Amino acid sequence: MTVNAVRRTVSVIVPCRNEADHIEAFCRSVAGQQVPAGWQLQVLIADGLSDDGTRKKLQAFCRRDPRFVMIDNPGRIVSCGLNRCIEQAAGEFIVRLDVHTVYAPDYVAQCLATWQATGADNVGGPWKAEGQPGTAGVVQRAVAAAFQSKLVAGGALSRDLIHNGWVDTVYLGAWPKATFERFGGFDETLVRNQDDEHNLRIHKGGGKVWQSASIRSTYFPRAHKMDVFRQYRQYGYWKPFVMKKHGQAAALRHLIPGLFVGGLALLYGLSLLAGLAVSWMPVGPARDVAVWLMLGSSLLLVAGLLAYGAAVWWISGRIAREAGAELKPHLPAVIAAYHWGYGLGSLRGWWDALVKGRPDPSFGRLTRGAAAQR
């Protein structure tokens, strides 16, 4: 029996779509991943029917390196791509990677070691964001700095670069194949938040998720403020569908942006309705009540907006002192894009989940770069 015949396999799974500018560099980086002695690498990349040249480049790389296999993903979204890869994974351990992330050379090895040490049903590392250096990347650096801030992210442990321990979710994820046999694959009705939903399912089923600071990677976020807004509007939109499915939120922080934006919208609506009532009601007690309602709701609305603006300005200053003063002019808009995008998306998501009973297909579009405009 040869040495290769007794090797154990770790399968890397990757969803992608329209990544012609990045796919070759990504594949080269994965090909250089270190794996422990006795293990071999299998790389399954599910392409969502790309139309920008990604498929041609990916097919060429697969011909050069037989460890790489391209899989068609006619569903085009991440959850479908992940499931198509899992179906064909030969490994007893499965590691998910993303094209827009750079990985430490021992990323896969550390995932394996953490799983073997903890016995967790899912393991992963912290979500570290960085922007490209230099003046040209100043907005992306501001996006990354705000992303990393606990004050912006609501204290999410997945953004804590030194945390080791049990968590509700991790960035990307790595699983023994038995996890999918026990808890199922990813929900293909979800365009976003499929990883959060899967982790919630693991927790509700008695499983555990572990985050290790030794599993290191760097994510490059959106480089434009409107792309960030669109991205987080999608994240917010799909979260109510996860909550409806499970009857609970994975974490309280997921509810706050929607409640904040919804509260301000309610105050604005009350002030308008009260103003209309004042304009046609005759003088009397009822009109006096409408006046007080108009004034009260208007004052609370202005106070809420001023308080939020002051908090964002203060947080921007805190972040800029650590990440660079040149980021401060961009940080307020970036932070608002995160919060308002998520909040507005959540409100629309609750309407579609509870009233319409189905998602809007427009919330499945790509949000990165030129693809966001398609």
Side-chain angles (χ1 to χ4, degrees), residues 170-365:
V170 288
Y171 179 50
L172 298 178
W175 314 260
K177 197 169 186 180
T179 292
F180 297 107
E181 295 167 359
R182 180 181 174 188
F183 300 104
F186 292 93
D187 188 336
E188 297 188 11
T189 67
L190 298 174
V191 174
R192 297 279 190 182
N193 299 315
Q194 67 281 329
D195 47 354
D196 285 346
E197 189 278 331
H198 194 258
N199 283 316
L200 180 56
R201 206 182 323 146
I202 288 174
H203 282 294
K204 292 185 71 173
K208 291 187 176 181
V209 180
W210 181 276
Q211 178 172 303
S212 170
S214 64
I215 301 173
R216 296 169 295 122
S217 66
T218 301
Y219 161 74
F220 292 94
R222 305 298 193 266
H224 302 283
K225 295 163 190 171
M226 281 306 300
D227 285 351
V228 173
F229 176 83
R230 282 188 285 263
Q231 180 189 21
Y232 274 77
R233 186 166 172 257
Q234 280 194 359
Y235 282 143
Y237 177 83
W238 289 99
K239 191 65 70 176
F241 289 91
V242 175
M243 296 180 193
K244 179 184 177 183
K245 177 178 179 179
H246 291 282
Q248 67 177 80
L252 179 61
R253 65 179 180 274
H254 297 151
L255 298 172
I256 293 174
L259 290 173
F260 172 72
V261 175
L264 293 180
L266 179 62
L267 289 172
Y268 179 70
L270 283 174
S271 66
L272 282 181
L273 289 174
L276 288 172
V278 169
S279 67
W280 61 262
M281 292 178 68
V283 175
R287 188 175 186 276
D288 292 341
V289 171
V291 168
W292 281 109
L293 183 60
M294 178 184 68
L295 292 175
S297 56
S298 298
L299 287 173
L300 286 174
L301 175 62
V302 171
L305 289 171
L306 289 176
Y308 177 75
V312 167
W313 188 255
W314 178 77
I315 292 170
S316 298
R318 286 279 302 269
I319 296 172
R321 281 196 292 273
E322 296 180 6
E326 69 276 13
L327 305 185
K328 190 170 183 180
H330 301 282
L331 282 166
V334 166
I335 294 171
Y338 277 122
H339 291 162
W340 285 83
Y342 198 103
L344 289 169
S346 295
L347 294 179
R348 175 63 187 276
W350 280 117
W351 174 264
D352 286 355
L354 298 179
V355 179
K356 293 177 62 178
R358 64 184 186 278
D360 186 330
S362 67
F363 282 87
R365 294 172 182 159

